[in-house]
Amino acid sequence: MERKNADILIAGGGVAGLTAAAAFGAAGFAVVIVDPAPPVTDAHSDGADLRTTAFLQPAQAFLAKAGIWPRLAGDATPLQIMRIIDAAAHPPVLRDFDASDISDLPFGWNLPNWLLRREIVARLHDLPNVDFRPGTGFAGMVARLDTALVNLTDGTQVNARLVIGADGRASPVRQSLGISATTLRYGQKAVTFAVTHDAPHGNISTEIHRAGGPFTLVPLPDHDGKPCSAVVWMDHGAECLRRAALPPEKFEAEANDRSAWHYGPLKLASKRMVWPIISQIADQITGPRTALVAEAAHVMPPIGAQGLNMSLRDLACLLDLATAKPDDLGAPAMLDSYARQRHPDIRLRVAGIDALNRTSMLGGSTVQDMRARGIAALYGITPVRRTLMQLGLGAG
């Protein structure tokens, strides 16, 4: 049986796992990364993920350190303003949170997930100490005193000092360790798609609230000469499934009504996909020789661009610990430090996004008026507004 020695075995070839491989590889560690499914790196492939990711300032800095950002910068759309609209209020409430209040840089930059995968995979090809094995999955592991022996689905083995589980919300790595997860289900789903519109988006990410969940438009580069945005439309699950099955013209009519015609008429520029909405936290984020990151450790509704940005905070923490004491890679002291630094922050931020999502779901004029007054009040107090923006970027 073939067996390879490595510093790190990463299970999971999504954006988080690929980024982990690039970051640890750039730092000089010998990395093997596996995923049972080859990454989708083309917008027109059947399995293309039509979602986009907004990288906030700390995440962008981490991508630059990993040598990924130079490949992405030319396609990234800056997010200068985060706009919140409560369309259920009478009259509607609109407030803009401008990055210039706290920084010379935008809040972040938006990119399609398929393009992220393509460019990160290209970066991995430049790193001779990274062994990327698409089409091969994690099958099990045995933790020893100094290493973990990992069995792969192709019958080979990797002997690694640290295993990073970046293999999703149903994480086989987490399950192999017997770590459970606490899951909250909202009865919600999200329809994701891209649209063109007449009005320019002005690099503004717009979150429109009514009952059921937010309708979020995130700026993208122009498409066929027209302004373009990615949309995440959250609502009760049955409604999302119904809308996703509508003919395009009927779907566009409902999307226009839900958007309050903020950018004028919306026209579909992609197919539609439906995703379940949950919150989930692993009861532990470490095991023998193992660290859980990204959706293996935490899942939350797509509000405030927190999901993948939290995942990159996991990776940044692990990388700092690994480079500070390379000889302790995967040792109990390193993993204990990772858990102490990350688990409380994960719990706090998941709870915060959970509260925001539940508030957004609520209907009834009294609740909606309270929500609108809350948005106006928080915006109106300058120190509070700035603090909220800094927390959104990951500070504190």
Side-chain angles (χ1 to χ4, degrees):
M1 177 183 293
E2 178 189 341
R3 179 183 297 178
K4 178 172 182 174
N5 292 324
D7 293 318
I8 300 167
L9 181 286
I10 299 171
V15 174
L18 293 171
T19 302
F24 281 92
F29 292 96
V31 177
V32 176
I33 173 173
V34 298
D35 193 286
V40 176
T41 56
D42 185 282
H44 304 292
S45 298
D46 289 341
D49 183 342
L50 300 178
R51 293 175 295 178
T52 63
T53 295
F55 288 97
L56 302 179
Q57 289 179 19
Q60 185 270 343
F62 185 76
L63 293 175
K65 185 177 179 180
I68 298 168
W69 187 250
R71 297 177 175 275
L72 301 174
D75 295 298
T77 304
L79 306 177
Q80 182 63 34
I81 293 174
M82 300 293 191
R83 174 171 291 165
I84 298 179
I85 301 174
D86 196 312
H90 302 286
V93 172
L94 183 154
R95 294 293 184 270
D96 285 348
F97 294 80
D98 195 324
S100 63
D101 283 355
I102 60 170
S103 174
D104 294 332
L105 296 173
F107 283 114
W109 297 262
N110 197 51
L111 287 150
N113 285 1
W114 65 266
L115 186 143
L116 287 170
R117 294 190 185 97
R118 185 189 74 189
E119 296 306 319
I120 302 172
V121 168
R123 170 61 176 153
L124 297 186
H125 290 323
D126 292 340
L127 295 167
N129 51 325
V130 176
D131 178 4
F132 179 34
R133 303 184 187 182
T136 299
F138 172 93
M141 60 181 282
V142 177
R144 296 173 172 172
L145 183 62
D146 297 323
T147 61
L149 183 61
V150 182
N151 296 310
L152 303 177
T153 56
D154 63 357
T156 63
Q157 294 180 325
V158 174
N159 205 40
R161 297 164 62 200
L162 173 67
V163 176
I164 297 178
D167 49 348
R169 57 188 65 183
S171 172
V173 171
R174 189 183 70 230
Q175 292 180 26
S176 75
L177 295 170
I179 297 174
S180 56
T182 301
T183 304
L184 296 173
R185 303 187 185 279
Y186 303 98
Q188 284 177 303
K189 295 185 185 296
V191 186
T192 60
F193 52 99
V195 293
T196 57
H197 39 82
D198 293 339
H201 50 60
N203 294 333
I204 298 172
S205 177
T206 303
E207 199 169 273
I208 303 171
H209 290 263
R210 282 181 179 168
F215 183 100
T216 304
L217 298 112
V218 185
L220 290 173
D222 287 359
H223 178 74
D224 291 340
K226 298 198 70 174
C228 184
S229 295
V231 179
V232 180
W233 185 357
M234 292 168 56
D235 206 337
H236 301 294
E239 275 295 280
C240 288
L241 292 171
R242 179 189 66 80
R243 291 187 184 118
L246 288 173
E249 62 277 5
K250 291 186 177 180
F251 178 82
E252 288 170 351
E254 293 199 16
N256 281 312
D257 177 70
R258 181 62 182 80
S259 72
W261 294 83
H262 184 66
Y263 286 148
L266 305 178
K267 296 290 293 182
L268 275 171
S270 73
K271 63 183 179 181
R272 292 158 276 174
M273 300 181 76
V274 179
W275 303 90
I277 302 298
I278 64 169
S279 287
Q280 182 172 283
I281 303 177
D283 295 338
Q284 300 170 233
I285 61 170
T286 61
R289 289 281 152 188
T290 306
L292 302 178
V293 302
E295 289 201 340
H298 48 77
V299 183
M300 66 188 72
I303 296 175
Q306 290 297 303
L308 187 61
N309 287 277
M310 275 185 58
S311 301
L312 297 194
R313 284 198 288 276
D314 299 340
L315 299 180
C317 179
L318 270 181
L319 184 61
D320 286 346
L321 293 168
T323 54
K325 293 185 176 180
D327 291 342
D328 288 344
L329 182 69
M334 174 191 171
L335 295 172
D336 289 347
S337 183
Y338 172 66
R340 285 195 306 271
Q341 292 184 47
R342 291 300 304 138
H343 218 191
D345 181 63
I346 289 168
R347 292 185 181 280
L348 178 64
R349 292 180 186 275
V350 171
I353 296 297
D354 170 72
L356 288 172
N357 187 42
R358 291 181 187 277
T359 301
S360 182
M361 291 171 66
L362 294 173
S365 59
T366 301
V367 172
Q368 290 169 348
D369 287 345
M370 289 176 62
R371 181 175 64 212
R373 287 197 296 270
I375 292 170
L378 290 172
Y379 179 86
I381 304 171
T382 300
V384 174
R385 181 174 75 249
R386 289 176 176 168
T387 298
L388 287 173
M389 289 190 286
Q390 289 164 345
L391 286 171
L393 288 178

